[in-house]
Amino acid sequence: MTTRTLAGFPVFPIGLGCMSLSHGYGPAASPAAAEALLLGALDRGVTLFDTAALYGFGHNEELLGRILAPHRSRFMLASKCGIFHVNGQRRIDGRPETLRRTCEDALRRLRTDVIDLYYLHRWDKAVPIEDSVGALADLVQAGKIRAIGLSEVSADTLRRAHAVHPIAAVQSEYSLWSREVEIAVLDACRELGAALVAFSPLARAFLADGLPDVAVLGDDDLRRRMPRFLPEAYAHNLTLLEPLRRMAQDHHCTPGQLALAWLLHQGEHVIPIPGTTRLAHLEENLGAAGVRLDAGACAELARLFGRDRVAGERYTPATQADVDTEQFPAS
């Protein structure tokens, strides 16, 4: 598969989401395992590495800086600002002075003089989006960042932001079982020339057929509190995997590769960034770029994972209140 364009850069169609090396799904990877994974990704052709100030409260940016800084010319670096932990509390802060200060912190941790793509991780609804994007535009002008992205925003917010400064990408959850971007954002990105960078494209390991029992998840695993992974909903959702497995066999690939290939077929501007801590999983994910699907297969996969078939909401009400994405009407 040919490269895709992100913020003017040609990138391999599948990038690497780095959060799980530090944050979210249990203990952080060991330094040796993290180094093997990151350098292995680079050697296997990955050209987009995605991190954030939030991940491990700076640990993830520091990790990428330590391991990848000597290879900085070989990849596109994306990070995010606007969500922090202060005294153990998660805080969204999009004030211009905060974004400027945290960009300097990120540059130091990442051991670079410029971040290729810098996202506003969440829109701080107490601050006009125009003000936050204006501050990021100042960072572009100063040569601190090369392009601006937004994460988990609606099409309306994207258009307002784009009127201030071109938005190169919107990062949002997008997978067979999380399709809210199809309401408006996917098309808005296409219209404005922005990429849609899909995080959790394997539904947090569910579509990779790698999570048969949620009871084994640790207390520090964010899935423990997600509605779709609660026992009753998850028992139902597991029934969706058997047809996915059959289709994967028909296409001579794994279920995870099939799920990623479906995403790649949703538009040339779609770039999935699955995360992993294991080289074997990384190689499997990258292999999805070679899986070809016809229109019938894409439609059947979309039908199998229609929103009326998936049990549970994407987020809890409290977490959903922090995002700006469109939602499907309650069923």
Side-chain angles (χ1 to χ4, degrees), residues 24 218-227 229-230 315-316:
D219 290 340
D220 54 351
D221 192 308
L222 57 81
R223 290 169 292 190
R224 288 290 295 264
R225 295 170 291 281
M226 290 184 158
F229 291 92
L230 297 179
Y315 287 141
T316 64

Side-chain angles (χ1 to χ4, degrees), residues 117-142:
L117 175 60
Y118 204 40
Y119 293 94
L120 185 65
H121 205 162
R122 291 291 184 273
W123 174 31
D124 179 353
K125 296 173 186 177
V127 179
I129 190 64
E130 293 83 356
D131 291 357
S132 296
V133 171
L136 296 176
D138 290 342
L139 293 172
V140 173
Q141 185 66 30

